[in-house]
Amino acid sequence: MCAGLHSIILKTLGAKECIFIICSSFETEWRPRTECSTGCRFAGMGNLIKVLTRDIDHNAAHFFLDFENAQPTESEKEIYNQVNVVLKDAEGILEDLQSYRGAGHEIREAIQHPNDEKLQEKAWGAVVPLVGKLKKFYEFSQRLEAGLRGLLGALTSTPYSPTQHLEREQALAKQFAEILHFTLRFDELKMTNPAIQNDFSYYRRTLSRMRINNVPAEGENEVNNELANRMSLFYAEATPMLKTLSDATTKFVSENKNLPIENTTDCLSTMASVCRVMLETPEYRSRFTNEETVSFCLRVMVGVIILYDHVHPVGAFAKTSKIDMKGCIKVLKDQPPNSVEGLLNALRYTTKHLNDETTSKQIKSMLQ
């Protein structure tokens, strides 16, 4: 043994305490204080650094994020209360969207009989209140965006790391998760309801015709031309609520130039890792008291992966990504197939970088 000897003691979750003996000539020995379950065997300083880094990264997500019972601490309350005002309306928005039936029949009748004024009035009368609902959904997306940016500000601020923030501020982390959960549910419902775009397109065409003919339009006061343009762009998106969050996150990064982009992307990747670890670790999963928490975790994991993929310069699927995509996909595929097909489709069709050349063939084949 070299005289210039130093030791580093590392305690890893799920492993017994190990002592790494490093000599000044960079000859390295590994001596377990007791038998180590990690099976670490390496030689040289480079490998030691890799093991240390790997274990630190691996354990960063090893804590239980209490999605069921987290309550705000005093320091969280201001942001928590602001976001809570928005989130308390989320379930009502989803219920309204789920019950949205559209005015397809009335619109078809009006188009087929263009000279029948009664049918034109009937179709317009059916569409106007529906457009009022669509306006409410759009305005909620703007409120949700403001809430998300408030949470990002709190969860990425210095001096704490993303892991420390998520562990210390669990009530805010829970709200962030609830926003993602709502977003995926909203977009799933929107994607399966073509009546939304059909109704809004008919509304805009009819409104334009009324203006040309100088006919007063009952619904114009509710949705003016400028708002209609913005709503049109919103509903033209396959996943409008996700696009809102993605744009809001990108804008947050660009407006906070003093904050490294990694603070934001690491917050997202850590949240994905926390969800994956809780789902694949029986010790954590057994602490869920509500079966719905499993589907909540799965949805949040997928939502945060998609958001990361849109915001991070190289996305979630590259080798340099801080998200264990293979592990996340495996967790999804370990669930009953019918319960996760929508989430797998979300990864297939609403991510940005899946089909990049930098995505491994193995990940692509896992999602085929």
Side-chain angles (χ1 to χ4, degrees):
M1 178 71 66
C2 173
L5 144 107
H6 306 282
S7 68
I8 298 173
I9 295 175
L10 174 69
K11 203 165 191 174
T12 59
L13 192 79
K16 295 175 183 176
E17 191 178 84
C18 302
I19 181 165
F20 296 92
I21 309 295
I22 309 166
C23 71
S24 57
S25 62
F26 299 115
E27 292 171 3
T28 309
E29 289 180 33
W30 173 79
R31 291 186 181 175
R33 291 214 169 165
T34 56
E35 185 181 350
C36 174
S37 64
T38 60
C40 305
R41 293 193 179 277
F42 53 87
M45 179 63 88
N47 285 337
L48 172 63
I49 297 299
K50 283 180 189 172
V51 171
L52 289 175
T53 308
R54 181 202 67 200
D55 284 345
I56 289 164
D57 288 346
H58 177 69
N59 290 319
H62 277 267
F63 63 88
F64 186 78
L65 213 168
D66 194 351
F67 285 138
E68 293 178 342
N69 305 303
Q71 294 298 317
T73 59
E74 202 58 44
S75 62
E76 294 174 85
K77 275 187 179 173
E78 184 181 352
I79 298 291
Y80 181 89
N81 290 339
Q82 290 170 12
V83 176
N84 203 45
V85 170
V86 180
L87 283 173
K88 67 180 177 59
D89 295 332
E91 202 57 42
I93 293 287
L94 290 173
E95 286 170 7
D96 284 352
L97 180 55
Q98 197 154 17
S99 64
Y100 189 101
R101 292 292 171 263
H105 174 72
E106 293 86 348
I107 290 170
R108 280 191 299 275
E109 289 287 302
I111 291 170
Q112 287 166 8
H113 305 90
N115 298 319
D116 189 323
E117 283 304 315
K118 283 189 176 177
L119 288 177
Q120 306 308 310
E121 287 173 13
K122 187 178 179 183
W124 182 250
V127 163
V128 167
L130 291 172
V131 168
K133 278 190 176 184
L134 297 182
K135 178 191 175 189
K136 184 171 80 168
F137 300 160
Y138 171 74
E139 288 175 341
F140 185 77
S141 77
Q142 304 306 291
R143 294 171 60 205
L144 201 67
E145 176 185 346
L148 176 77
R149 291 172 70 179
L151 288 173
L152 284 174
L155 294 171
T156 61
S157 61
T158 53
Y160 301 117
S161 70
T163 304
Q164 289 169 325
H165 272 300
L166 293 175
E167 198 165 9
R168 290 165 59 95
E169 293 147 18
Q170 295 220 355
L172 298 186
K174 180 187 173 189
Q175 287 185 319
F176 183 42
E178 285 171 344
I179 287 177
L180 289 163
H181 185 252
F182 165 85
T183 295
L184 261 69
R185 288 175 68 200
F186 182 96
D187 286 346
E188 282 170 12
L189 290 169
K190 185 266 176 187
M191 278 194 287
T192 55
N193 196 337
I196 289 172
Q197 278 178 278
N198 293 339
D199 292 349
F200 197 64
S201 295
Y202 178 81
Y203 171 83
R204 297 202 75 189
R205 288 197 308 271
T206 306
L207 197 59
S208 177
R209 193 165 62 245
M210 286 176 164
R211 284 199 193 106
I212 291 168
N213 297 329
N214 291 317
V215 175
E218 174 199 335
E220 187 175 9
N221 291 333
E222 188 164 3
V223 179
N224 61 32
N225 199 44
E226 184 196 347
L227 178 57
N229 286 335
R230 283 187 276 125
M231 286 173 61
S232 186
L233 290 171
F234 177 77
Y235 287 112
E237 294 288 340
T239 52
M241 211 57 83
L242 182 67
K243 179 73 165 65
T244 299
L245 296 198
S246 173
D247 288 350
T249 308
T250 304
K251 193 174 179 183
F252 171 82
V253 169
S254 65
E255 286 179 353
N256 292 273
K257 298 190 188 304
N258 59 328
L259 201 66
I261 186 172
E262 290 78 19
N263 284 37
T264 304
T265 54
D266 285 0
C267 175
L268 302 178
S269 61
T270 304
M271 177 74 90
S273 298
V274 168
C275 290
R276 174 183 58 77
V277 169
M278 288 202 299
L279 287 162
E280 68 187 9
T281 308
E283 175 197 342
Y284 289 152
R285 192 160 169 162
S286 66
R287 289 169 66 179
F288 298 155
T289 57
N290 186 341
E291 190 51 40
E292 286 296 305
T293 307
V294 172
S295 61
F296 179 88
C297 261
L298 289 165
R299 201 178 295 267
V300 171
M301 181 181 75
V302 169
V304 83
I305 288 169
I306 297 167
L307 194 55
Y308 181 99
D309 194 55
H310 280 262
V311 173
H312 194 280
V314 297
F317 300 95
K319 284 182 181 176
T320 54
S321 165
K322 292 191 177 179
I323 296 178
D324 176 5
M325 284 306 306
K326 290 174 191 172
C328 291
I329 295 167
K330 184 180 181 304
V331 164
L332 284 167
K333 293 204 161 187
D334 285 344
Q335 312 306 313
N338 294 341
S339 67
V340 293
E341 194 56 33
L343 295 177
L344 288 167
N345 282 337
L347 289 177
R348 290 176 186 125
Y349 306 121
T350 67
T351 47
K352 188 177 178 181
H353 294 280
L354 174 61
N355 295 315
D356 288 2
E357 289 180 7
T358 52
T359 303
S360 75
K361 288 180 181 176
Q362 187 181 358
I363 288 176
K364 286 179 180 176
S365 68
M366 287 176 82
L367 283 173
Q368 279 177 354

